[in-house]
């Protein structure tokens, strides 16, 4: 019997030597109910698996290799190990994010280096079996800036509750909403776009239960709300406000945004000043208000995970994951309760897959 049930496992992404990091692959961490984290070991050796996604139904994990420009499926093996499930598939330059559709039909990979958004069809066992590139992005500010060319920087994908996909383009200040095309030639077809303020740099995103999407902007250190119109289902830019209570500092860049389980608070990581900002969700998800900033506890908080009343923050440069309790009344992080050494961590992803075949 498996010694570490899936709901107690957290996979860690990392940067390895090819990207200037000290990691050696995908890591495995055991998470206890009291918030304590324990390093189990390297689940799979891999080159810079900087972002991961767990299959929702099967014991399969997907990892982008950022420097190698690939994405690969891994299957659970032993207590906490992972072994390759098929070959590495080509992706784009600096493939930095992977997301899996909630029923396990496909993956979407975003590539920071060349702006590509890539669709990968999955088979019944969770293996990758086909690949299609979505349409490239056009800078909405190109004409206004006299034709200056800004590079497209696709950065993250979000599977929306209605079955569509939303992706961020950090270079073009753009959210793109895609329909999923079924049939003999599956892929992503552009539905519509939402333009954010020029120079804001939309990075990561999360959907509120009410339908609105919260977006953290890397460059302007703000949070934007892509508001869903009840009639058409289209999104529009509904709100933009500061991501921190104390304001952005020189050298800051925002990284991750995560929601509390009750969706009453959101948490934003800010690299540079190394803070976690807690924001209160207002007006049914139509706006966010920063209420407190706390030190993240390390250097360069690249990613964080809210889990069972705890906030785990992965610090890429100091090589650790710091854990904070979240106050159940205020939603604010308390004093740090633990620190786990992890080499160059870049992502924290729960291994939430059931260890049974798909029905």
């Amino acid at each position: 019997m498996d010694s570490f049930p899936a709901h107690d496992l957290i996979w860690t992404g990392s940067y390895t030597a090819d990207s200037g990091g000290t990691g050696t692959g995908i890591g495995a961490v055991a998470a206890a109910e009291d918030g304590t984290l324990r390093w189990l070991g390297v689940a799979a050796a891999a080159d810079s698996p900087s972002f991961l996604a767990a299959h929702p139904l099967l014991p399969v994990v997907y990892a982008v290799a950022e420097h190698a420009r690939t994405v690969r499926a891994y299957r659970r093996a032993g207590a906490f190990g992972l072994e390759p499930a098929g070959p590495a598939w080509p992706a784009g330059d600096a493939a930095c994010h992977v997301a899996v559709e909630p029923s396990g039909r496909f993956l979407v990979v975003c590539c920071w280096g060349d702006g590509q958004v890539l669709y990968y069809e999955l088979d019944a066992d969770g293996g990758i079996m086909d690949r299609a590139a979505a349409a490239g992005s056009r800078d909405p500010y190109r004409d206004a800036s006299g034709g200056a060319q800004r590079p497209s920087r696709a950065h993250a994908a979000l599977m929306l509750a209605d079955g569509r996909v939303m992706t961020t383009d950090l270079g073009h200040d753009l959210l793109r909403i895609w329909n999923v095309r079924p049939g003999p030639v599956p892929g992503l077809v552009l539905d519509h776009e939402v333009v954010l303020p020029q120079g804001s740099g939309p990075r990561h995103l999360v959907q509120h239960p009410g339908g609105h999407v919260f977006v953290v902007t890397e460059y302007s250190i703000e949070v934007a709300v892509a508001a869903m119109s009840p009639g058409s289902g289209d999104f529009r830019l509904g709100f933009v406000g500061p991501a921190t209570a104390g304001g952005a500092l020189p050298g800051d860049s925002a990284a991750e945004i995560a929601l509390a389980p009750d969706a009453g608070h959101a948490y934003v990581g800010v690299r540079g000043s190394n803070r976690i900002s807690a924001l209160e969700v207002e007006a049914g998800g139509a706006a966010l208000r920063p209420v407190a900033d706390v030190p993240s506890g390390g250097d360069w908080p690249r990613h964080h995970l809210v889990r069972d009343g705890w906030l785990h923050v992965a610090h890429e440069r100091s090589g650790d994951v710091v854990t904070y309790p979240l106050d159940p009344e205020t939603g604010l992080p308390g004093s740090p309760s633990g620190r786990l050494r992890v080499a160059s961590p870049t992502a924290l992803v729960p291994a939430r897959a059931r260890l049974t075949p798909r029905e």
Side-chain angles (χ1 to χ4, degrees):
M1 185 169 178
D2 199 309
S3 302
F4 304 100
H7 65 273
D8 288 334
L9 270 176
I10 297 173
W11 307 117
T12 64
S14 72
Y15 276 140
T16 59
D18 65 354
S19 298
T22 58
T24 55
I26 303 169
V29 170
E33 290 185 2
D34 65 359
T36 302
L37 301 181
R38 178 165 57 96
W39 176 252
L40 299 176
V42 176
D47 292 330
S48 291
S50 61
F51 208 85
L52 314 169
H55 193 288
L57 303 172
L58 300 172
V60 177
V61 177
Y62 305 94
V64 290
E66 189 163 330
H67 186 76
R69 301 165 52 126
T70 61
V71 61
R72 192 168 201 170
Y74 294 83
R75 189 172 298 278
R76 286 285 299 274
F80 61 83
L82 294 168
E83 59 184 17
W89 280 68
D93 187 20
C96 62
H97 191 274
V98 56
V100 59
E101 188 266 337
S103 68
R105 293 184 298 136
F106 62 86
L107 301 175
V108 175
V109 171
C110 291
C111 306
W112 182 88
D114 56 18
Q116 287 195 77
V117 175
L118 301 170
Y119 171 99
Y120 296 83
E121 191 174 7
L122 301 178
D123 62 26
D125 295 321
I128 300 172
M129 64 178 187
D130 203 359
R131 174 188 184 275
S137 171
R138 185 183 188 279
D139 186 354
Y141 290 102
R142 182 173 180 178
D143 295 339
S145 60
Q149 183 69 40
R150 299 191 304 168
S152 172
R153 304 288 193 197
H155 206 286
L158 175 68
M159 304 296 166
L160 298 173
D162 62 9
R164 293 179 294 176
V165 179
M166 182 181 289
T167 60
T168 59
D169 195 302
L170 191 150
H172 285 173
D173 302 311
L174 198 60
L175 305 177
R176 293 195 286 171
I177 297 87
W178 308 88
N179 291 312
V180 180
R181 179 179 60 208
V185 188
L188 299 177
V189 178
L190 187 64
D191 187 288
H192 64 286
E193 300 177 335
V194 177
V195 179
L196 272 66
Q198 187 171 6
S200 57
R203 179 180 168 95
H204 278 198
L205 64 177
V206 65
Q207 189 167 27
H208 185 271
H212 301 325
V213 174
F214 302 158
V215 185
V216 63
T217 61
E218 179 171 340
Y219 299 149
S220 63
I221 327 296
E222 293 175 310
V223 286
V225 175
M228 177 184 279
S229 302
S232 65
D234 284 356
F235 287 90
R236 59 177 178 79
L237 183 60
F239 171 87
V240 179
T244 65
L249 300 178
D252 274 352
S253 64
E256 172 68 346
I257 183 168
L259 267 180
D262 65 359
H265 289 84
Y267 305 94
V268 168
V270 180
R271 300 166 294 182
S273 57
N274 298 332
R275 291 176 286 168
I276 296 293
S277 178
L279 300 97
E280 189 171 309
V281 177
E282 298 183 324
L288 298 102
R289 179 176 61 88
V291 293
D293 303 332
V294 300
S296 68
D299 188 10
W300 215 248
R302 183 183 178 91
H303 197 250
H304 56 266
L305 171 66
V306 177
R307 176 192 172 275
D308 296 339
W310 302 92
L311 176 67
H312 306 294
V313 184
H315 296 97
E316 177 190 332
R317 294 183 178 175
S318 56
D320 50 30
V321 178
V322 177
T323 296
Y324 292 82
L326 294 174
D327 187 292
E329 299 297 327
T330 66
L332 300 182
S335 299
S337 63
R339 181 186 305 273
L340 178 69
R341 299 297 301 178
V342 179
S344 302
T346 55
L348 301 172
V349 176
R352 58 190 176 275
R354 295 197 309 252
L355 300 182
T356 56
R358 191 190 313 202
E359 298 174 356

